[in-house]
Amino acid sequence: DLLHIDIQGAEYDVLPPAMEQLKGSVKSIMVGTHSNDELHEGLVRLFQENGWEERLNLGRNRLNETPWGEIQTNDGFLWFENSQLNQSAAL
C-alpha cells in the first residue's frame, strides 16, 4: 500500500519509466528528492499528470509551512496518493 523511496538522486531515473507499474500497484508513495528544484518539480508534475493526489510537497533547502508547523529541509520530500487505486479499493 505504501512505498517509500529515498535513493539519493536516482529517483529521477527510476520513477518516470516505472509510473505505469506504480499506478497499478501502489496506493501511496513518499519520495525523498535530491539534486535540484527543477527535478523535484518535475516529479511533482509527473505524479499530477498521472492522476496522483499531492498530500505533501516539501521543497528542498527551505523552510516549509505545513499543517504541523514550519519544517526546515535539506532534501525535498513528496507524498502522493494514487486516487485511481484508492477509489477502486473503496468499491
Side-chain angles (χ1 to χ4, degrees):
D1 289 346
L2 170 66
L3 177 61
H4 176 254
I5 296 175
D6 191 349
I7 50 179
Q8 303 301 309
E11 59 273 11
Y12 309 108
D13 297 322
V14 170
L15 292 172
M19 184 53 67
E20 288 304 313
Q21 185 174 5
L22 293 171
K23 285 172 33 179
S25 59
V26 176
K27 291 182 181 179
S28 186
I29 189 166
M30 295 179 174
V31 182
T33 63
H34 307 83
S35 300
N36 64 54
D37 291 338
E38 184 178 328
L39 292 172
H40 175 97
E41 292 305 319
L43 284 182
V44 171
R45 284 189 302 278
L46 174 70
F47 281 100
Q48 290 172 339
E49 290 168 357
N50 281 278
W52 294 71
E53 294 180 17
E54 183 179 296
R55 295 293 181 232
L56 189 61
N57 180 347
L58 303 179
R60 299 180 61 259
N61 299 316
R62 68 182 61 138
L63 188 62
N64 297 273
E65 289 291 332
T66 76
W68 311 280
E70 295 178 335
I71 297 175
Q72 176 67 46
T73 57
N74 292 320
D75 293 336
F77 180 81
L78 299 172
W79 171 18
F80 281 90
E81 289 190 357
N82 184 344
S83 59
Q84 296 170 350
L85 198 56
N86 284 324
Q87 286 177 355
S88 64
L91 297 178

